Amino acid sequence: MIRRYNNLSLLFFLPGLVAQVPGFILLQNHQPPDSNGILGLILLIGGSLMVITGFGYYAKAKGRSPIWGILGFIGFPGLLLLAILKDRSGDPWNT
């Protein structure tokens, strides 16, 4: 596994996941014409894009195409699918 891309995947994935939670909560309580509803929508969309980017970097760390980041749309099952993919990075130490 390519360590640089693995670190970048965490840098995008974790804040994206953290941003999605308040975004979802705000959208449950407010509708988008309201300012809190708009903020919730921005947090939810931005967090989702960050999670997908993090998944793409994780796939790249395993020597795969970043297109695999699309699995971020299905959430945790997508992360499990990426985790079981064979590492094709060519790193002899496989770290």
Side-chain angles (χ1 to χ4, degrees):
M1 183 172 293
I2 303 169
R3 190 177 311 234
R4 177 174 180 251
Y5 293 131
N6 191 26
N7 291 338
L8 281 171
S9 74
L10 285 174
L11 184 67
F12 280 95
F13 174 73
L14 292 177
L17 191 63
V18 169
Q20 284 181 336
V21 173
F24 182 74
I25 292 170
L26 283 172
L27 279 177
Q28 290 293 331
N29 299 325
H30 304 282
Q31 297 301 318
D34 183 19
S35 62
N36 285 333
I38 293 172
L39 177 62
L41 191 61
I42 290 170
L43 285 173
L44 192 61
I45 291 172
S48 297
L49 290 175
M50 289 179 74
V51 165
I52 290 168
T53 303
F55 278 26
Y57 275 120
Y58 187 72
K60 198 168 182 178
K62 288 190 140 194
R64 304 284 183 145
S65 170
I67 298 296
W68 282 92
I70 293 174
L71 289 174
F73 280 119
I74 60 173
F76 189 70
L79 181 61
L80 289 176
L81 288 172
L82 279 177
I84 62 172
L85 280 177
K86 185 174 176 159
D87 188 357
R88 293 185 178 173
S89 65
D91 185 4
W93 299 103
N94 208 15
T95 58

